[in-house]
Every structure is written in C-alpha cells, then in structure tokens.
Amino acid sequence: MKEIKVAIFDLTDCEGCELQFLALREELAAKGKDFQLANWRLLSNGASTGPFDITFIEGSPITDDDVVAVKKARAASKTIVALGSCATFGGLQAALPESRRALNIQKVYGEKYKATSRSPKNISYYIDVDINLPGCPIDKNELERLLAAVTSGKKYKEIKYPVCLECKARNNTCLFLEDGFCLGPITKGGCGAICPTNGLRCYGCFGPVEGANIEAMENVAGKYTDKKYLKDNLELYFKNAEEYKDYITKRK
Ligand code: SF4
Ligand code: SF4
Ligand code: SF4
C-alpha cells in the first residue's frame, strides 16, 4: 500500500467504526502494510493539522466547535470520507424527534439548562463529502477495499446492491417466509447480511440502497407489523437519508 497521510477525526458517536479501523490496521500491519496516521486522537497518534491525503470523519457534528473542525478538515484534505452511519446519516442520535430531544435534555440537566448543542446531522450537511462509508459499525473488508482504491488512485465504487443479495448468497431462509419482516430489500449491502444470517432482521443500519423502493417496503412490511413500529424502524437510520426524505416529501 502506497504511503499516504491519513487522518481520523471523531465527533458525537460511539467510536465503534474507529474500532473496525483499528482492527484493520492491525491486520494490515501483520502483513507488512501500513499507512501514516498523521492525526488520530484515539491512538494519540500525531496531531498534524494537515495536509492529509484522506481524512475519515466519524460521528455527527453537534457543537459549533465540531462544525469548525469539519470545515478545517475539509480544507486540509484531498479526500473526505464520512465514516459510518453517524457521519453518513446522523446515526442513531438523529432518530430522536426534536420535541423529545428538548424534553430529554430538560429531564437530565434540569429546566433551567440552556442547551447549546445542535441537532445531529450528517457530515455532508456542513461540507462536501467525497465518499460515504455507511454501517453501524462499518464493515472492515469494505474499508480495506476503499483504502486500496484510494491509495492506488482508483475510484472507489460504492455498493449498489441490497442486503438481500448477500443474504441469498449465504443461502439464508428469508425472514418474510417466517412471518417476520426485514429491511434487507431497501438497505445497502456491504455487511455480508450479518443480521439475517444470525436470525435477526436487517434494521437498515447501512442506509438505503440506490433506488430503494420505500413505498413497496411499507406496503409489504405493513402486512407483518403495525405502521408505527415500521416507521420507527425505518427512521432509526433512514431519517436523514436523501432517499427517505424525498419519499416523505412526495407522499405529503
Ligand atoms: S455508526 Fe454506529 S458504530 Fe459507528 S460510530 Fe456511529 S454509532 Fe458507533
Ligand atoms: S431475510 Fe431480509 S435480507 Fe434476507 S432475503 Fe429476506 S428480506 Fe432479504
Ligand atoms: S444486516 Fe442490516 S442491520 Fe444488520 S449489519 Fe447489515 S445493514 Fe446493518
């Protein structure tokens, strides 16, 4: 792997995607491959302010300082990757309705507390993002494919097939045949269909696949569960995704 300068920044998140990064780095190091980490708080590796060849940003910006940090990262980087579903879609923290957020803040900090945090948003709400790498957490193999493409000067090709394709390749019995429902048909692949393979439905953590037919999913899945539960499931990760927002706007 060509020597490239990599930076990893994290905002509001659980750091699970960075742990995948760490695991990949250890695997690559064992094979004698490595990359120069110019800035990674988690490992206390360097504190360079750039320039960087590729910068990964994990989490969603929720403070003014976070927004300044992502703008600085953009200015210092050739390529920006939104790392994980928090960065790509705002993540689980974006799923909470705004009215509930204000209420929860009051419950935790008291009525007099004046919150200064912003609503969690995707990184591309604030800056141009070159590559979105969704997943909660991201898939390590997909991260390796991305790094290999970027370091060899090739274009990284985003996955354009749904989880179902990987699920069928693993010979799983479809949960729809077992009176369950599953968001696999409208969710971007890349995780190897890990949830259905282990008997759990896909809850959409990689976000919508290109061309996702959300209306058809609502119609079909609506036969297996109630509408409110289905909506809550869809909005867990899809809420800030353009495909979902477009669908909701058209439906109004
Ligand atoms: S996308 Fe999921 S695993 Fe990654 S940082 Fe956010 S909450 Fe954690
Ligand atoms: S279990 Fe889910 S991911 Fe697997 S084929 Fe059925 S709908 Fe698709
Ligand atoms: S099966 Fe669905 S919920 Fe599970 S990891 Fe893959 S995309 Fe995420």
Side-chain angles (χ1 to χ4, degrees):
M1 196 174 276
K2 193 182 109 191
E3 184 83 339
I4 54 163
K5 266 192 180 179
V6 176
I8 306 171
F9 297 111
D10 53 5
L11 306 168
T12 293
D13 56 27
C14 80
E15 298 179 348
C17 292
E18 282 178 280
L19 291 181
Q20 293 294 312
F21 216 117
L22 190 58
L24 175 64
R25 189 175 179 231
E26 283 173 1
E27 278 178 28
L28 291 175
K31 292 183 209 163
K33 299 175 181 177
D34 207 356
F35 39 84
Q36 189 190 339
L37 279 162
N39 194 324
W40 193 0
R41 180 196 60 81
L42 198 68
L43 291 193
S44 305
N45 257 86
S48 166
T49 50
F52 308 117
D53 292 303
I54 180 163
T55 294
F56 293 84
I57 305 179
E58 183 199 61
S60 39
I62 64 155
T63 65
D64 292 349
D65 286 348
D66 288 347
V67 176
V68 170
V70 295
K71 288 185 177 169
K72 277 189 183 164
R74 175 67 277 181
S77 314
K78 281 188 200 153
T79 302
I80 292 273
V81 179
L83 184 72
S85 290
C86 290
T88 306
F89 309 114
L92 284 178
Q93 57 270 33
L96 194 68
E98 279 310 298
S99 53
R100 286 258 308 279
R101 183 181 314 284
L103 208 64
N104 286 5
I105 288 174
Q106 273 191 2
K107 272 188 191 164
V108 174
Y109 297 106
E111 288 190 5
K112 286 188 184 154
Y113 181 77
K114 293 264 180 281
T116 53
S117 56
R118 300 163 175 239
S119 323
K121 297 271 188 245
N122 34 324
I123 304 288
S124 61
Y125 183 82
Y126 295 106
I127 57 166
D128 285 338
V129 167
D130 301 294
I131 301 172
N132 283 303
L133 191 68
C136 186
I138 54 148
D139 182 78
K140 192 160 49 76
N141 298 326
E142 196 51 26
L143 174 63
E144 186 172 8
R145 195 170 74 81
L146 185 155
L147 280 168
V150 172
T151 51
S152 57
K154 292 185 184 149
K155 192 170 170 0
Y156 165 71
K157 287 188 187 154
E158 280 190 33
I159 287 180
K160 296 198 171 166
Y161 53 79
V163 172
C164 287
L165 192 131
E166 295 171 337
C167 189
K168 295 326 286 174
R170 297 185 77 161
N171 219 13
N172 295 329
T173 301
C174 181
L175 293 169
F176 278 104
L177 298 174
E178 295 180 340
D179 267 352
F181 82 97
C182 174
L183 297 186
I186 55 167
T187 300
K188 184 187 269 201
C191 65
I194 191 166
C195 300
T197 303
N198 289 288
L200 301 166
R201 72 187 146 74
C202 169
Y203 50 91
C205 86
F206 273 54
V209 67
E210 192 177 288
N213 189 339
I214 299 168
E215 185 178 9
M217 170 53 81
E218 279 200 322
N219 290 339
V220 174
K223 293 176 187 160
Y224 295 84
T225 186
D226 73 80
K227 279 191 176 163
K228 162 96 176 58
Y229 187 66
L230 179 60
K231 181 173 177 284
D232 287 350
N233 270 266
L234 276 168
E235 296 202 343
L236 211 49
Y237 285 100
F238 282 31
K239 199 172 168 196
N240 275 340
E242 292 307 321
E243 293 88 338
Y244 186 73
K245 288 198 287 190
D246 284 352
Y247 168 63
I248 296 297
T249 309
K250 278 183 203 148
R251 208 177 53 175
K252 277 178 187 164

PDB file of all heavy atoms in Angstrom, residues 16-17 82-89 91 132-139 188-191 204-207 237:
ATOM      1  N   GLY A  16     -17.353   2.979  17.549  1.00  0.00           N
ATOM      2  CA  GLY A  16     -17.358   1.600  17.044  1.00  0.00           C
ATOM      3  C   GLY A  16     -16.739   1.474  15.665  1.00  0.00           C
ATOM      4  O   GLY A  16     -16.101   0.460  15.356  1.00  0.00           O
ATOM      5  N   CYS A  17     -16.921   2.492  14.824  1.00  0.00           N
ATOM      6  CA  CYS A  17     -16.348   2.422  13.474  1.00  0.00           C
ATOM      7  C   CYS A  17     -14.828   2.557  13.539  1.00  0.00           C
ATOM      8  O   CYS A  17     -14.104   1.924  12.777  1.00  0.00           O
ATOM      9  CB  CYS A  17     -16.953   3.508  12.584  1.00  0.00           C
ATOM     10  SG  CYS A  17     -18.700   3.197  12.244  1.00  0.00           S
ATOM     11  N   ALA A  82     -16.960  10.092   5.000  1.00  0.00           N
ATOM     12  CA  ALA A  82     -17.856  10.034   6.160  1.00  0.00           C
ATOM     13  C   ALA A  82     -17.838   8.581   6.638  1.00  0.00           C
ATOM     14  O   ALA A  82     -18.266   7.680   5.919  1.00  0.00           O
ATOM     15  CB  ALA A  82     -19.260  10.458   5.768  1.00  0.00           C
ATOM     16  N   LEU A  83     -17.291   8.369   7.844  1.00  0.00           N
ATOM     17  CA  LEU A  83     -17.053   7.009   8.344  1.00  0.00           C
ATOM     18  C   LEU A  83     -18.213   6.542   9.228  1.00  0.00           C
ATOM     19  O   LEU A  83     -18.358   6.999  10.363  1.00  0.00           O
ATOM     20  CB  LEU A  83     -15.743   6.999   9.142  1.00  0.00           C
ATOM     21  CG  LEU A  83     -15.266   5.652   9.662  1.00  0.00           C
ATOM     22  CD1 LEU A  83     -14.736   4.774   8.533  1.00  0.00           C
ATOM     23  CD2 LEU A  83     -14.167   5.828  10.717  1.00  0.00           C
ATOM     24  N   GLY A  84     -19.013   5.652   8.691  1.00  0.00           N
ATOM     25  CA  GLY A  84     -20.098   5.087   9.487  1.00  0.00           C
ATOM     26  C   GLY A  84     -21.403   5.846   9.317  1.00  0.00           C
ATOM     27  O   GLY A  84     -21.464   6.922   8.701  1.00  0.00           O
ATOM     28  N   SER A  85     -22.457   5.269   9.864  1.00  0.00           N
ATOM     29  CA  SER A  85     -23.789   5.829   9.653  1.00  0.00           C
ATOM     30  C   SER A  85     -24.038   7.107  10.446  1.00  0.00           C
ATOM     31  O   SER A  85     -24.868   7.924  10.047  1.00  0.00           O
ATOM     32  CB  SER A  85     -24.852   4.771   9.977  1.00  0.00           C
ATOM     33  OG  SER A  85     -24.789   3.772   8.979  1.00  0.00           O
ATOM     34  N   CYS A  86     -23.327   7.332  11.564  1.00  0.00           N
ATOM     35  CA  CYS A  86     -23.467   8.621  12.261  1.00  0.00           C
ATOM     36  C   CYS A  86     -23.024   9.740  11.324  1.00  0.00           C
ATOM     37  O   CYS A  86     -23.673  10.775  11.228  1.00  0.00           O
ATOM     38  CB  CYS A  86     -22.581   8.672  13.503  1.00  0.00           C
ATOM     39  SG  CYS A  86     -23.074   7.617  14.842  1.00  0.00           S
ATOM     40  N   ALA A  87     -21.902   9.530  10.646  1.00  0.00           N
ATOM     41  CA  ALA A  87     -21.357  10.565   9.755  1.00  0.00           C
ATOM     42  C   ALA A  87     -22.149  10.653   8.455  1.00  0.00           C
ATOM     43  O   ALA A  87     -22.317  11.733   7.895  1.00  0.00           O
ATOM     44  CB  ALA A  87     -19.887  10.264   9.462  1.00  0.00           C
ATOM     45  N   THR A  88     -22.642   9.519   7.986  1.00  0.00           N
ATOM     46  CA  THR A  88     -23.346   9.498   6.698  1.00  0.00           C
ATOM     47  C   THR A  88     -24.790   9.984   6.826  1.00  0.00           C
ATOM     48  O   THR A  88     -25.291  10.689   5.954  1.00  0.00           O
ATOM     49  CB  THR A  88     -23.343   8.058   6.129  1.00  0.00           C
ATOM     50  OG1 THR A  88     -21.993   7.603   6.079  1.00  0.00           O
ATOM     51  CG2 THR A  88     -23.917   8.024   4.735  1.00  0.00           C
ATOM     52  N   PHE A  89     -25.457   9.593   7.942  1.00  0.00           N
ATOM     53  CA  PHE A  89     -26.884   9.933   8.071  1.00  0.00           C
ATOM     54  C   PHE A  89     -27.245  10.646   9.382  1.00  0.00           C
ATOM     55  O   PHE A  89     -28.409  10.907   9.625  1.00  0.00           O
ATOM     56  CB  PHE A  89     -27.750   8.656   8.023  1.00  0.00           C
ATOM     57  CG  PHE A  89     -27.472   7.769   6.864  1.00  0.00           C
ATOM     58  CD1 PHE A  89     -26.928   6.516   7.045  1.00  0.00           C
ATOM     59  CD2 PHE A  89     -27.746   8.202   5.575  1.00  0.00           C
ATOM     60  CE1 PHE A  89     -26.668   5.686   5.974  1.00  0.00           C
ATOM     61  CE2 PHE A  89     -27.489   7.389   4.496  1.00  0.00           C
ATOM     62  CZ  PHE A  89     -26.946   6.128   4.686  1.00  0.00           C
ATOM     63  N   GLY A  91     -26.867   9.138  12.170  1.00  0.00           N
ATOM     64  CA  GLY A  91     -26.830   7.993  13.095  1.00  0.00           C
ATOM     65  C   GLY A  91     -28.035   7.889  14.015  1.00  0.00           C
ATOM     66  O   GLY A  91     -29.037   8.575  13.856  1.00  0.00           O
ATOM     67  N   ASN A 132     -19.101   8.292   1.083  1.00  0.00           N
ATOM     68  CA  ASN A 132     -19.852   7.889   2.280  1.00  0.00           C
ATOM     69  C   ASN A 132     -19.624   6.400   2.503  1.00  0.00           C
ATOM     70  O   ASN A 132     -19.848   5.600   1.585  1.00  0.00           O
ATOM     71  CB  ASN A 132     -21.349   8.146   2.079  1.00  0.00           C
ATOM     72  CG  ASN A 132     -21.692   9.615   2.243  1.00  0.00           C
ATOM     73  OD1 ASN A 132     -21.414  10.218   3.277  1.00  0.00           O
ATOM     74  ND2 ASN A 132     -22.258  10.214   1.215  1.00  0.00           N
ATOM     75  N   LEU A 133     -19.168   6.059   3.681  1.00  0.00           N
ATOM     76  CA  LEU A 133     -18.986   4.640   4.007  1.00  0.00           C
ATOM     77  C   LEU A 133     -19.917   4.319   5.186  1.00  0.00           C
ATOM     78  O   LEU A 133     -19.539   4.459   6.346  1.00  0.00           O
ATOM     79  CB  LEU A 133     -17.524   4.369   4.391  1.00  0.00           C
ATOM     80  CG  LEU A 133     -17.149   2.892   4.505  1.00  0.00           C
ATOM     81  CD1 LEU A 133     -17.182   2.206   3.146  1.00  0.00           C
ATOM     82  CD2 LEU A 133     -15.768   2.731   5.131  1.00  0.00           C
ATOM     83  N   PRO A 134     -21.167   3.924   4.893  1.00  0.00           N
ATOM     84  CA  PRO A 134     -22.110   3.721   5.991  1.00  0.00           C
ATOM     85  C   PRO A 134     -21.895   2.395   6.723  1.00  0.00           C
ATOM     86  O   PRO A 134     -21.064   1.570   6.332  1.00  0.00           O
ATOM     87  CB  PRO A 134     -23.463   3.736   5.266  1.00  0.00           C
ATOM     88  CG  PRO A 134     -23.165   3.226   3.901  1.00  0.00           C
ATOM     89  CD  PRO A 134     -21.764   3.653   3.576  1.00  0.00           C
ATOM     90  N   GLY A 135     -22.704   2.217   7.747  1.00  0.00           N
ATOM     91  CA  GLY A 135     -22.643   0.993   8.557  1.00  0.00           C
ATOM     92  C   GLY A 135     -22.551   1.364  10.016  1.00  0.00           C
ATOM     93  O   GLY A 135     -21.964   2.385  10.368  1.00  0.00           O
ATOM     94  N   CYS A 136     -23.163   0.554  10.855  1.00  0.00           N
ATOM     95  CA  CYS A 136     -23.151   0.823  12.296  1.00  0.00           C
ATOM     96  C   CYS A 136     -22.861  -0.471  13.037  1.00  0.00           C
ATOM     97  O   CYS A 136     -23.767  -1.097  13.547  1.00  0.00           O
ATOM     98  CB  CYS A 136     -24.491   1.428  12.709  1.00  0.00           C
ATOM     99  SG  CYS A 136     -24.556   1.972  14.414  1.00  0.00           S
ATOM    100  N   PRO A 137     -21.569  -0.899  13.049  1.00  0.00           N
ATOM    101  CA  PRO A 137     -20.422  -0.161  12.521  1.00  0.00           C
ATOM    102  C   PRO A 137     -20.172  -0.475  11.049  1.00  0.00           C
ATOM    103  O   PRO A 137     -20.836  -1.345  10.469  1.00  0.00           O
ATOM    104  CB  PRO A 137     -19.270  -0.693  13.365  1.00  0.00           C
ATOM    105  CG  PRO A 137     -19.645  -2.117  13.627  1.00  0.00           C
ATOM    106  CD  PRO A 137     -21.157  -2.118  13.750  1.00  0.00           C
ATOM    107  N   ILE A 138     -19.159   0.211  10.475  1.00  0.00           N
ATOM    108  CA  ILE A 138     -18.736  -0.077   9.100  1.00  0.00           C
ATOM    109  C   ILE A 138     -18.190  -1.502   9.006  1.00  0.00           C
ATOM    110  O   ILE A 138     -17.857  -2.113  10.017  1.00  0.00           O
ATOM    111  CB  ILE A 138     -17.625   0.894   8.644  1.00  0.00           C
ATOM    112  CG1 ILE A 138     -16.456   0.877   9.653  1.00  0.00           C
ATOM    113  CG2 ILE A 138     -18.145   2.290   8.427  1.00  0.00           C
ATOM    114  CD1 ILE A 138     -15.125   1.116   9.072  1.00  0.00           C
ATOM    115  N   ASP A 139     -18.103  -1.988   7.775  1.00  0.00           N
ATOM    116  CA  ASP A 139     -17.534  -3.315   7.555  1.00  0.00           C
ATOM    117  C   ASP A 139     -16.033  -3.157   7.252  1.00  0.00           C
ATOM    118  O   ASP A 139     -15.647  -2.366   6.403  1.00  0.00           O
ATOM    119  CB  ASP A 139     -18.251  -3.970   6.365  1.00  0.00           C
ATOM    120  CG  ASP A 139     -17.744  -5.372   6.119  1.00  0.00           C
ATOM    121  OD1 ASP A 139     -18.151  -6.281   6.853  1.00  0.00           O
ATOM    122  OD2 ASP A 139     -16.917  -5.546   5.197  1.00  0.00           O
ATOM    123  N   LYS A 188     -28.668  -0.854   1.758  1.00  0.00           N
ATOM    124  CA  LYS A 188     -27.419  -1.051   1.012  1.00  0.00           C
ATOM    125  C   LYS A 188     -26.630  -2.235   1.572  1.00  0.00           C
ATOM    126  O   LYS A 188     -26.494  -2.369   2.805  1.00  0.00           O
ATOM    127  CB  LYS A 188     -26.582   0.234   1.141  1.00  0.00           C
ATOM    128  CG  LYS A 188     -25.307   0.212   0.334  1.00  0.00           C
ATOM    129  CD  LYS A 188     -24.465   1.427   0.635  1.00  0.00           C
ATOM    130  CE  LYS A 188     -24.783   2.541  -0.292  1.00  0.00           C
ATOM    131  NZ  LYS A 188     -23.717   3.545  -0.393  1.00  0.00           N
ATOM    132  N   GLY A 189     -26.126  -3.068   0.685  1.00  0.00           N
ATOM    133  CA  GLY A 189     -25.320  -4.216   1.112  1.00  0.00           C
ATOM    134  C   GLY A 189     -23.932  -3.784   1.563  1.00  0.00           C
ATOM    135  O   GLY A 189     -23.594  -2.610   1.542  1.00  0.00           O
ATOM    136  N   GLY A 190     -23.135  -4.776   1.962  1.00  0.00           N
ATOM    137  CA  GLY A 190     -21.767  -4.471   2.373  1.00  0.00           C
ATOM    138  C   GLY A 190     -21.422  -5.071   3.723  1.00  0.00           C
ATOM    139  O   GLY A 190     -20.270  -5.087   4.130  1.00  0.00           O
ATOM    140  N   CYS A 191     -22.438  -5.591   4.420  1.00  0.00           N
ATOM    141  CA  CYS A 191     -22.174  -6.165   5.750  1.00  0.00           C
ATOM    142  C   CYS A 191     -22.128  -7.683   5.681  1.00  0.00           C
ATOM    143  O   CYS A 191     -21.885  -8.344   6.687  1.00  0.00           O
ATOM    144  CB  CYS A 191     -23.261  -5.730   6.726  1.00  0.00           C
ATOM    145  SG  CYS A 191     -24.868  -6.408   6.276  1.00  0.00           S
ATOM    146  N   GLY A 204     -31.584  -1.865   8.753  1.00  0.00           N
ATOM    147  CA  GLY A 204     -31.238  -0.757   7.854  1.00  0.00           C
ATOM    148  C   GLY A 204     -30.025   0.067   8.219  1.00  0.00           C
ATOM    149  O   GLY A 204     -29.911   1.210   7.784  1.00  0.00           O
ATOM    150  N   CYS A 205     -29.086  -0.510   8.985  1.00  0.00           N
ATOM    151  CA  CYS A 205     -28.012   0.350   9.502  1.00  0.00           C
ATOM    152  C   CYS A 205     -27.048   0.854   8.421  1.00  0.00           C
ATOM    153  O   CYS A 205     -26.300   1.788   8.668  1.00  0.00           O
ATOM    154  CB  CYS A 205     -27.273  -0.316  10.652  1.00  0.00           C
ATOM    155  SG  CYS A 205     -25.936  -1.410  10.179  1.00  0.00           S
ATOM    156  N   PHE A 206     -27.064   0.252   7.223  1.00  0.00           N
ATOM    157  CA  PHE A 206     -26.213   0.770   6.138  1.00  0.00           C
ATOM    158  C   PHE A 206     -26.945   1.830   5.316  1.00  0.00           C
ATOM    159  O   PHE A 206     -26.425   2.327   4.325  1.00  0.00           O
ATOM    160  CB  PHE A 206     -25.738  -0.376   5.222  1.00  0.00           C
ATOM    161  CG  PHE A 206     -24.464  -1.043   5.708  1.00  0.00           C
ATOM    162  CD1 PHE A 206     -24.373  -1.549   6.990  1.00  0.00           C
ATOM    163  CD2 PHE A 206     -23.364  -1.169   4.873  1.00  0.00           C
ATOM    164  CE1 PHE A 206     -23.212  -2.153   7.449  1.00  0.00           C
ATOM    165  CE2 PHE A 206     -22.194  -1.773   5.320  1.00  0.00           C
ATOM    166  CZ  PHE A 206     -22.115  -2.268   6.614  1.00  0.00           C
ATOM    167  N   GLY A 207     -28.176   2.144   5.699  1.00  0.00           N
ATOM    168  CA  GLY A 207     -28.935   3.165   4.980  1.00  0.00           C
ATOM    169  C   GLY A 207     -29.522   2.623   3.685  1.00  0.00           C
ATOM    170  O   GLY A 207     -29.302   1.475   3.314  1.00  0.00           O
ATOM    171  N   TYR A 237     -32.363   4.648  11.065  1.00  0.00           N
ATOM    172  CA  TYR A 237     -31.168   5.043  10.296  1.00  0.00           C
ATOM    173  C   TYR A 237     -31.488   5.840   9.040  1.00  0.00           C
ATOM    174  O   TYR A 237     -30.637   6.540   8.531  1.00  0.00           O
ATOM    175  CB  TYR A 237     -30.348   3.800   9.904  1.00  0.00           C
ATOM    176  CG  TYR A 237     -29.584   3.235  11.057  1.00  0.00           C
ATOM    177  CD1 TYR A 237     -30.051   2.132  11.758  1.00  0.00           C
ATOM    178  CD2 TYR A 237     -28.397   3.821  11.487  1.00  0.00           C
ATOM    179  CE1 TYR A 237     -29.366   1.623  12.848  1.00  0.00           C
ATOM    180  CE2 TYR A 237     -27.695   3.324  12.574  1.00  0.00           C
ATOM    181  CZ  TYR A 237     -28.184   2.225  13.241  1.00  0.00           C
ATOM    182  OH  TYR A 237     -27.498   1.733  14.319  1.00  0.00           O
TER     183      TYR A 237
END
